[in-house]
Amino acid sequence: MNIKYFSLSEFDCPSLPNSGKNMDYEFLQKLDKARDIAQISFRITSGYRSKEHNESIGGVKNSSHLRGYAADIAVGSGNERYIILNALIKAGFKRIGVAKTFIHCDTDPDKHNSVWTY
């Protein structure tokens, strides 16, 4: 796997060690491209999720995290949010959720393009 900025362990479900290997490779390549564009660190707060973990945190039943198509990236300021959001769009992400403390991005092929807020 040729991913420059991330290790698979960053995407592990807290309840399932080594589960970062379940992440979709094309998703990881696109996220790596966004990180390169942004030129700032991305701290992954949620990557792959087991069904049980997803339920325990109140995730939606058809969460893209369950199939390795999604990640949440921590943001600490408006400027950081702008840099990351801009990089995700330039990298080709078409599904982005913006919250106060994180940005969700995914490449789920079974879902429509969308931008939303939490």
Side-chain angles (χ1 to χ4, degrees):
M1 186 176 285
N2 190 17
I3 303 298
K4 180 177 179 181
Y5 294 103
F6 302 100
S7 65
L8 289 179
S9 63
E10 292 179 74
F11 300 90
D12 283 352
C13 178
S15 64
L16 195 58
N18 300 313
S19 57
K21 67 182 181 209
N22 296 317
M23 294 299 294
D24 179 72
Y25 180 63
E26 289 178 16
F27 168 83
L28 292 174
Q29 285 182 306
K30 191 173 278 195
L31 190 62
D32 209 48
K33 181 179 178 182
R35 166 58 183 84
D36 191 58
I37 292 166
Q39 289 299 296
I40 63 171
S41 295
F42 285 14
R43 186 170 61 84
I44 306 302
T45 59
S46 184
Y48 180 79
R49 294 181 191 162
S50 67
K51 183 180 176 191
E52 296 77 19
H53 179 69
N54 189 60
E55 288 173 0
S56 75
I57 62 168
V60 296
K61 278 190 173 196
N62 67 337
S63 173
S64 301
H65 290 273
L66 295 167
R67 297 188 298 138
Y69 289 118
D72 295 342
I73 306 161
V75 293
S77 69
N79 184 56
E80 188 178 29
R81 184 178 294 107
Y82 171 80
I83 291 169
I84 293 171
L85 184 57
N86 184 52
L88 291 170
I89 292 167
K90 285 182 176 178
F93 280 93
K94 297 180 190 299
R95 292 188 43 78
I96 300 171
V98 181
K100 184 175 181 177
T101 60
F102 70 93
I103 295 176
H104 167 98
C105 60
D106 75 66
T107 57
D108 195 321
D110 296 330
K111 296 181 179 178
H112 297 290
N113 297 344
S114 184
V115 174
W116 64 93
T117 57
Y118 292 93

